[in-house]
Amino acid sequence: MKPCVAVLISGRGSNMEALVKAAQAPEFPAKIVLVLSNKPDAAGLEIARQLGITAEAVPAKPFGKDREAHERAIDARLQAAGVEIVCLAGYMRLLTPYLVGRWAGRMLNIHPSLLPAYPGLDTYARALAAGEQKHGCTVHLVTEGMDEGPIVAQAEVPILPGDTEDALAARVLVQEHLLYPAALAALAEKIRLPEAAPRP
Ligand code: GAR
C-alpha cells in the first residue's frame, strides 16, 4: 500500500504541482490525496483541482491568534483523509509544537537555500549580497525551529556573474521541482508499511 500524502501550500503551488505530477507515475511510491492551503485565494488550489486532487482552504483567520486551534482543524482534515506524510510546499506559517509533534518524522519542508545557511526569507538576495558562489535548495524533516530539522536531500545551483534575484530563484526552482519528488519518494519507501503477507 502506498502511503497517502497531503501537500500544504500558501501560494502559487509550483512544488505541489511537481509532486502531484511525479506521483502520477505508476512506480512512484506515494499517493497524493489532498492539498490544503491556509489562504483561500492560493493559486495552487485551482491547479491541484485541475490535476484531480481534492484541494481545500483551511483559513487561519477564524481562529484569530490561536495558531494551535487552526492546526487542529488542519490535522483533523489530514486524519480524515488517511494522510501518512505531509509535505510543506511554500506553506508560509510557522508551525506550533502541536502539529510538528503530531507529524514528527513524517513531515517534510522544502526551502530555497543550502541549509543551515540562509533560513527564513529573501534567501536569494542574501546569498547574492554575501558574494556566495553557490546557492540551492534543501528538503528536510520538520522540527520546531524554522527551516531546521534533519536534512533529507539538497541540490546545489551555481551563482553566475551578473545573477539577479529572479534569475537565481528561477534556477533554484528548477532544482526544487526535481529534488522534492525524489525526497518524498525516499521517505515514502522508508515508512512504507510492510505489505500484507501472502496467504500460505
Ligand atoms: C519555494 O521556493 C519554496 O522553497 C519556498 O517558497 C517557494 C514556494 O513556491 N519555501 C520557503 O521559503 C519555506 N521557508 P511554490 O508555491 O511555487 O512551490
Side-chain angles (χ1 to χ4, degrees):
M1 275 267 288
K2 294 183 183 189
C4 290
V5 177
V7 186
L8 269 55
I9 63 170
S10 296
R12 69 185 164 180
S14 73
N15 276 287
M16 174 278 299
E17 186 176 352
L19 289 167
V20 169
K21 287 184 170 163
Q24 284 170 344
E27 66 276 13
F28 196 85
K31 184 175 173 356
I32 300 191
V33 296
L34 181 65
V35 171
L36 295 179
S37 173
N38 60 315
K39 303 264 187 205
D41 58 352
L45 286 174
E46 193 45 42
I47 294 169
R49 289 183 195 121
Q50 280 169 14
L51 290 166
I53 307 291
T54 303
E56 296 168 7
V58 184
K61 214 170 174 188
F63 300 97
K65 291 204 168 112
D66 192 346
R67 288 160 59 217
E68 187 177 312
H70 176 236
E71 290 180 356
R72 284 184 187 279
I74 288 177
D75 192 60
R77 207 45 213 93
L78 297 173
Q79 302 298 337
V83 168
E84 290 155 272
I85 298 176
V86 176
C87 291
L88 305 183
Y91 186 70
M92 300 312 246
R93 272 176 81 83
L94 192 56
L95 301 183
T96 77
Y98 167 75
L99 203 64
V100 174
R102 294 279 289 168
W103 291 92
R106 294 180 299 138
M107 182 183 271
L108 294 170
N109 180 44
I110 189 156
H111 180 75
S113 78
L114 296 169
L115 291 173
Y118 305 110
L121 298 173
D122 300 325
T123 68
Y124 319 103
R126 287 153 62 209
L128 288 171
E132 301 283 2
Q133 301 204 333
K134 62 183 185 186
H135 201 53
C137 49
T138 302
V139 175
H140 64 95
L141 285 164
V142 175
T143 54
E144 283 183 28
M146 185 184 58
D147 301 324
E148 282 182 14
I151 289 171
V152 175
Q154 284 189 314
E156 280 186 19
V157 168
I159 292 183
L160 305 176
D163 244 347
T164 61
E165 249 184 87
D166 285 353
L168 179 57
R171 256 188 354 271
V172 170
L173 196 63
V174 171
Q175 294 306 314
E176 290 188 41
H177 295 167
L178 299 172
L179 189 71
Y180 212 172
L184 170 59
L187 180 65
E189 295 281 13
K190 209 167 134 190
I191 73 157
R192 183 138 53 167
L193 300 172
E195 301 286 347
R199 284 175 193 277

